[in-house]
Amino acid sequence: MAESRGTLYLVDGSGYMFRAFHAIPPLNNSRGLPTNATYGFLRMVLKLLKDTHPSHIAMVFDPPGKTFRDDLFESYKANRTEMPSDLGVQIPYIHRAVEALRMRQLMIEGFEADDVIGTLALRAAREKFDCVIVTGDKDFKQLVGPHVTL
């Protein structure tokens, strides 16, 4: 009899946030708080949940502050612009929404979401899980294999 493997979905929460922010035109609530990223993020998450019905899922976010890569390479991400303030104010609401959906959130100080996702995907494959990485980041193609999909 074939061995049964569970499936773990690892979602690039930071990627989802930025994608939603840039895809949805500016929206504000009645108090003037920007809501476009929160709205777009939730739409994407709810569609993922509806389409896949995952039994194991984690939303992985970049932590605030520096990561080990900043220490290794002084000009790491030097050409990146600052996070738009209209996105920054929405982040706590996005985290609360993920919490309300009872999804596991991972944010590991000193490590980007990409590093956490890559590590967990390979570990899951070794631990008898299939892993689905949910991201638009093409760098993850290098991890695709018999038990890791993108």
Side-chain angles (χ1 to χ4, degrees):
M1 179 176 227
E3 182 179 349
S4 177
R5 297 177 71 94
T7 302
L8 170 64
Y9 283 76
L10 295 171
V11 184
D12 180 359
S14 295
Y16 259 33
M17 278 189 327
F18 278 95
R19 185 174 173 187
F21 178 77
H22 292 291
I24 307 285
L27 296 172
N28 296 307
N29 67 13
S30 61
R31 295 183 312 264
L33 180 72
T35 58
N36 59 322
T38 307
Y39 173 75
F41 179 91
L42 279 170
R43 292 291 306 236
M44 289 190 293
V45 170
L46 292 173
K47 180 173 180 5
L48 174 68
L49 294 173
K50 179 182 175 196
D51 292 350
T52 64
H53 304 285
S55 60
H56 300 81
I57 187 167
M59 187 69 62
V60 187
F61 292 99
D62 291 325
K66 290 186 168 193
T67 68
F68 77 96
R69 294 175 186 270
D70 295 298
D71 295 332
L72 291 175
F73 188 56
E74 189 176 316
S75 59
Y76 182 65
K77 294 193 177 183
N79 296 326
R80 289 250 173 115
T81 58
E82 293 269 329
M83 178 185 297
S85 61
D86 280 359
L87 174 57
V89 298
Q90 295 180 68
I91 292 174
Y93 297 99
I94 289 170
H95 287 290
R96 286 183 18 202
V98 173
E99 197 175 293
L101 290 169
R102 301 181 68 160
M103 294 174 66
R104 170 75 66 185
Q105 294 186 70
L106 299 173
M107 188 180 338
I108 310 297
E109 187 176 326
F111 295 91
E112 292 183 1
D114 296 0
D115 299 312
V116 175
I117 291 169
T119 300
L120 292 177
L122 294 178
R123 185 179 292 173
R126 280 195 315 269
E127 299 291 329
K128 310 292 188 240
F129 275 87
D130 289 321
C131 184
V132 178
I133 300 171
V134 183
T135 183
D137 188 339
K138 303 291 188 262
D139 290 340
F140 282 105
K141 285 183 178 181
Q142 62 189 314
L143 299 180
V144 171
H147 300 290
V148 177
T149 58
L150 183 60

